[in-house]
Amino acid sequence: MTDRELMARAIALSLESVAQGGGPFGAVVAREGRILGEGQNAVVPGRDPTAHAEVMAIRDACARLGTHLLTGAILYTSCEPCPMCLAAAWWARCAGIVYGNDRSDAAAIGFDDAALYEEIARPLAARRLPLRRLMAEEARAAFRAWAAKPDKVPY
């Protein structure tokens, strides 16, 4: 499939999502023109704030492939990814992202991620959502166990 065909599929999924009570977002993960996974926004119907179309497509692709890595894959999404979805694509090791609507288009219909982008850029002490560190030394036990594990799968 071409870039245009893959984007058209992501857009079709976004329209289906609206018709099914989800948000207006759809996404496809593809490699070498072949669809590996698809997703639609399911935040409201699934009662899951992480069920963005991009995350759902990444989950679908990983489940189908039996891996947590999507090396060489491209994420096609009907809208520029929010910070969470951008991070998910990053951690999945996607090779790139192609999007339709941008963040200003999303903001114009009530999906404004500007505050989140600003929050991430602030120092920890200045964030609106407070972060508080507790039991750091005890928490390091899991990190020490991971570092010493000879059969770990890095990611």
Side-chain angles (χ1 to χ4, degrees):
M1 297 176 77
T2 67
D3 280 346
R4 290 186 67 81
E5 290 170 324
L6 292 162
M7 180 56 77
R9 180 62 185 147
I11 292 168
L13 288 165
S14 72
L15 289 165
E16 288 175 21
S17 182
V18 171
Q20 297 166 0
F25 306 99
V28 170
V29 175
R31 185 186 297 132
E32 298 175 358
R34 193 177 118 247
I35 293 176
L36 305 176
E38 297 184 338
Q40 297 171 302
N41 180 279
V43 169
V44 173
R47 295 173 185 83
D48 179 354
T50 69
H52 291 200
E54 298 89 341
V55 170
M56 301 300 280
I58 289 168
R59 288 175 182 167
D60 185 38
C62 289
R64 288 187 196 195
L65 296 174
T67 181
H68 62 284
L69 297 175
L70 298 174
T71 308
I74 304 294
L75 174 63
Y76 293 84
T77 176
S78 62
C79 186
E80 179 181 0
C82 73
M84 177 184 69
C85 294
L86 182 61
W90 175 273
W91 286 114
R93 304 296 193 261
C94 289
I97 299 171
V98 178
Y99 64 91
N101 295 307
D102 69 14
R103 66 177 84 171
S104 64
D105 297 322
I109 63 163
F111 294 93
D112 191 356
D113 295 329
L116 189 49
Y117 280 104
E118 291 168 9
E119 180 83 354
I120 291 168
R122 288 185 182 112
L124 292 180
R127 292 188 180 171
R128 289 184 359 210
L129 181 61
L131 280 84
R132 185 170 62 99
R133 193 169 187 186
L134 181 64
M135 297 180 66
E137 185 53 40
E138 293 84 349
R140 284 190 192 98
F143 280 16
R144 286 191 293 275
W146 170 261
K149 188 174 172 57
D151 62 342
K152 65 181 167 259
V153 178
Y155 58 95

